[in-house]
Amino acid sequence: MNIVDNIEKIVQSLSVVNHKVELVAATKTRTIDEVQLAMSSKLIAASGENRVQELLSKYDDSITWDFIGQLQTNKVKYIIDKVRLIHSVDRYSLAKTIDKEAKKNNKVQDVLVQINAGKEESKGGIFLEDIHAFLDEIAYFENIQIRGVMAVVPLDYDDDQLKRTFDKVYAKYSQLKTNTFSYLSMGMSNDYLIAVESGANLIRLGRAIFGQRG
Ligand SMILES: *Cc1c(COP(=O)(O)O)cnc(C)c1O
């Protein structure tokens, strides 16, 4: 199986839902050649990287890059001019730094607020019940545009728990949705079909596209 075939199969499998779903390739550990191949399908909106150093080492301005991993405030400056969308805004200090660095670059940075949907202590993200307060806190930053939410869910959830959790996130997202707050990023290789059935319109796929990570 090759990368482009995998992507075409994934896109076909998404026809079970009636809404548009954007694909972000989760490209950690993959080579730039693998990333280029994925992008050559023309079906991938962006390459999503988890680590600043890895993004910088692969960076090529012919590719659209997203940042999907935990982001340290002191590293924002290295990626601010290189990324379309930062999926992982999970604290005030990070939003403030992104705003400041975006301003320096004469840019309004699109971001998603990361939701910790299973309330896992080991993971970053805002709890669902705290999202309104968090959005109020960061709303006044002029060089950030909040484009929606990105949900992370526990790896050990079964399908029923996943469905219930994705539905809860969707319910909150649909209360908040506007013309610009319109991304619901949830679903990875193991659970993206459940996520899109709950209304996800952006999915982040690594192994389903590239195979197991070595
Ligand atoms: C690795 C990763 C993914 C994709 O995971 P797969 O299971 O390989 O599809 C999605 N989102 C984030 C934040 C990741 O780090």
Side-chain angles (χ1 to χ4, degrees):
M1 281 300 282
N2 79 47
I3 288 170
V4 175
D5 287 343
N6 291 345
I7 294 168
E8 285 171 354
K9 287 230 165 68
I10 292 161
V11 169
Q12 280 165 25
S13 73
L14 296 173
S15 61
V16 294
V17 296
N18 288 319
H19 62 276
K20 267 211 158 150
V21 179
E22 200 170 279
L23 261 67
V24 167
T27 47
K28 58 178 173 276
T29 79
R30 312 300 176 176
T31 65
I32 186 65
D33 289 345
E34 290 174 296
V35 178
Q36 296 276 17
L37 246 170
M39 300 314 277
S40 76
S41 70
K42 307 281 182 204
L43 297 167
I44 304 288
S47 167
E49 284 287 340
N50 286 71
R51 290 168 176 276
V52 168
Q53 197 51 53
E54 195 174 339
L55 191 158
L56 295 177
S57 72
K58 286 179 206 169
Y59 184 72
D60 172 334
D61 68 6
S62 69
I63 292 174
T64 301
W65 301 91
D66 281 4
F67 197 82
I68 63 175
Q70 289 242 29
L71 183 54
Q72 290 172 262
T73 52
N74 62 348
K75 296 202 172 149
V76 171
K77 59 177 177 285
Y78 301 118
I79 63 163
I80 195 74
D81 59 338
K82 298 183 172 61
V83 289
R84 173 188 76 141
L85 182 64
I86 298 172
H87 293 228
S88 46
V89 171
D90 61 353
R91 59 201 191 280
Y92 179 83
S93 60
L94 178 58
K96 186 180 159 96
T97 304
I98 293 170
D99 179 62
K100 186 181 83 184
E101 296 297 334
K103 194 165 290 159
K104 284 191 202 162
N105 280 271
N106 294 314
K107 175 181 192 188
V108 176
Q109 178 64 56
D110 281 350
V111 304
L112 304 179
V113 169
Q114 181 172 326
I115 292 179
N116 186 338
K119 295 195 170 181
E120 294 170 284
E121 285 190 11
S122 61
K123 286 187 187 154
I126 308 293
F127 294 166
L128 267 182
E129 63 266 34
D130 298 329
I131 183 135
H132 290 279
F134 184 67
L135 290 172
D136 284 347
E137 274 185 74
I138 66 172
Y140 74 91
F141 289 128
E142 289 179 350
N143 290 70
I144 289 184
Q145 169 96 273
I146 307 163
R147 298 297 314 279
V149 295
M150 186 267 256
V152 294
V153 296
L155 289 172
D156 60 0
Y157 272 11
D158 65 28
D159 286 1
D160 285 343
Q161 289 171 305
L162 286 168
K163 182 75 179 124
R164 264 184 279 132
T165 306
F166 288 147
D167 284 347
K168 259 198 290 188
V169 176
Y170 179 78
K172 182 60 75 181
Y173 161 78
S174 46
Q175 288 173 10
L176 297 165
K177 192 179 180 316
T178 65
N179 280 339
T180 51
F181 191 106
S182 55
Y183 274 123
L184 176 54
S185 169
M186 62 183 187
M188 314 198 306
S189 294
N190 286 335
D191 56 17
Y192 72 89
L193 283 175
I194 304 172
V196 296
E197 277 172 9
S198 297
N201 58 19
L202 196 171
I203 55 178
R204 310 175 311 274
L205 304 179
R207 289 166 300 155
I209 293 174
F210 301 103
Q212 289 298 328
R213 279 181 288 278

